[in-house]
Amino acid sequence: MVDVFAYQSSQVDWCEDNFQFSENVAEFYNMASNVSFFISVPIMMYLWHPYAQKRNKAVYLLWVMVMLVGSFSAYYHMTLSYFGQLLDELSILWVLAFAYMLWFPKRHLPKPIKNRKVFSLVVCLVALISTVLSFLKPVVNAYALNSIALHILYQITLELKRCTDQRIIHLAFATVAWWLIAISCWLSDRLLCAFWRQINFYYLHSFWHVLINMAAIHGITLFAYFDAVYEIPETSPEVKYWPERWGYLGLPYLAIKSKDSLKKTC
């Protein structure tokens, strides 16, 4: 029986050469690139504090879960263990599930589902079933997780049809752009490894970690805005960027304030 905690017990190995710098670290760059999660998450938790206090404190839990994704990914790439792979992939699955529970647009709920509470229970059940199934064929887990992005892109398209705010439209396109660049790096590292090894360039999966983190921050902000502008319009939800002087190159977050009314533009 394979030791699930053993180094290189995972069936998946990435393009980076193993144990280049240490006998204890299988993929140094793929492990180290997860530091981006540890930098961005505390900043996001601070910037999102007003929103969390007004709308839903569960957003703190979501950001903690995002940091766990970075932690588990670092462990996985350090060991390339089967256990690490499952921790990495299942943490992503539950972040996606939790985000669906929080911000899936109410008007797009399936007809048999009456409210968000029931929808959340259904999502939780699907996530539990998916968790069990992930043990059957771990090598396909990552492809299945990335396919969820297609549904997210579809939901963004539906929301943009109702949106006239150019800042939100820009945020939506930035979210998609970050994801496209990220998934291109992921697929290229996975499918074109022989080419990248020929030119001694095997950093694409480490780029994926940084890029998908940025895509997640943009996407979370986008869907939280869609939710807030309809559910708590009196707070005048507004997307801002940090640091402010960086403009669109900064980290987006949802700022809210109290107002008697809000003209809906999305």
Side-chain angles (χ1 to χ4, degrees):
M1 181 177 179
V2 177
D3 181 357
V4 298
F5 298 99
Y7 273 66
Q8 296 181 291
S9 55
S10 169
Q11 297 178 21
V12 180
D13 193 1
W14 300 92
C15 202
E16 181 181 350
D17 287 336
N18 296 334
F19 305 104
Q20 292 184 80
F21 304 106
S22 170
E23 62 182 12
N24 297 316
V25 178
E27 296 176 342
F28 175 79
Y29 293 109
N30 287 347
M31 180 194 73
S33 57
N34 286 288
V35 72
S36 63
F37 292 92
F38 295 91
I39 295 172
S40 63
V41 167
I43 295 172
M44 289 294 100
M45 292 182 74
Y46 172 76
L47 294 174
W48 282 68
H49 177 72
Y51 170 86
Q53 295 300 309
K54 179 64 178 180
R55 177 59 174 154
N56 197 334
K57 292 184 177 64
V59 72
Y60 291 132
L61 178 58
L62 179 75
W63 287 118
V64 170
M65 292 170 70
V66 170
M67 184 178 285
L68 285 175
V69 170
S71 302
F72 293 149
S73 178
Y75 171 72
Y76 165 49
H77 289 289
M78 182 181 75
T79 64
L80 289 180
S81 65
Y82 176 79
F83 181 70
Q85 179 190 344
L86 288 178
L87 283 179
D88 181 19
E89 293 166 347
L90 292 178
S91 63
I92 297 171
L93 170 66
W94 282 97
V95 164
L96 290 170
F98 197 56
Y100 266 70
M101 295 179 202
L102 288 177
W103 295 310
F104 187 82
K106 188 182 295 185
R107 60 185 170 277
H108 296 152
L109 292 178
K111 290 182 179 180
I113 297 176
K114 302 296 183 181
N115 54 57
R116 188 171 296 280
K117 183 177 181 179
V118 175
F119 176 74
S120 296
L121 290 173
V122 172
V123 170
C124 188
L125 178 61
V126 171
L128 284 171
I129 294 172
S130 300
T131 297
V132 174
L133 293 176
S134 68
F135 290 86
L136 301 180
K137 195 72 173 177
V139 73
V140 303
N141 290 348
Y143 295 96
L145 284 171
N146 278 309
S147 68
I148 298 174
L150 299 178
H151 183 255
I152 295 173
L153 293 175
Y154 172 69
Q155 290 300 322
I156 291 176
T157 301
L158 292 180
E159 291 298 316
L160 288 185
K161 290 180 179 179
R162 305 167 60 95
C163 185
T164 59
D165 188 328
Q166 290 302 312
R167 286 175 62 86
I168 303 306
I169 294 173
H170 179 277
L171 177 63
F173 277 95
T175 300
V176 175
W178 280 113
W179 177 77
L180 284 174
I181 299 171
I183 196 63
S184 296
C185 289
W186 189 91
L187 288 171
S188 188
D189 183 273
R190 195 84 200 105
L191 304 177
L192 302 175
C193 181
F195 168 76
W196 296 113
R197 282 186 175 278
Q198 284 181 351
I199 61 175
N200 202 34
F201 188 87
Y202 35 69
Y203 309 109
L204 288 178
H205 193 76
S206 62
F207 292 171
W208 150 265
H209 291 148
V210 178
L211 293 167
I212 200 62
N213 185 29
M214 288 297 294
I217 291 171
H218 282 69
I220 288 171
T221 304
L222 180 64
F223 278 95
Y225 174 83
F226 289 146
D227 174 76
V229 80
Y230 288 106
E231 301 298 329
I232 49 171
E234 70 278 3
T235 63
S236 297
E238 179 184 4
V239 172
K240 293 186 177 181
Y241 291 83
W242 183 91
E244 187 175 354
R245 66 180 181 276
W246 288 12
Y248 290 133
L249 296 178
L251 298 176
Y253 67 97
L254 191 60
I256 63 172
K257 55 186 176 181
S258 296
K259 279 187 178 181
D260 292 333
S261 62
L262 172 68
K263 182 180 179 180
K264 296 182 181 178
T265 57
C266 260

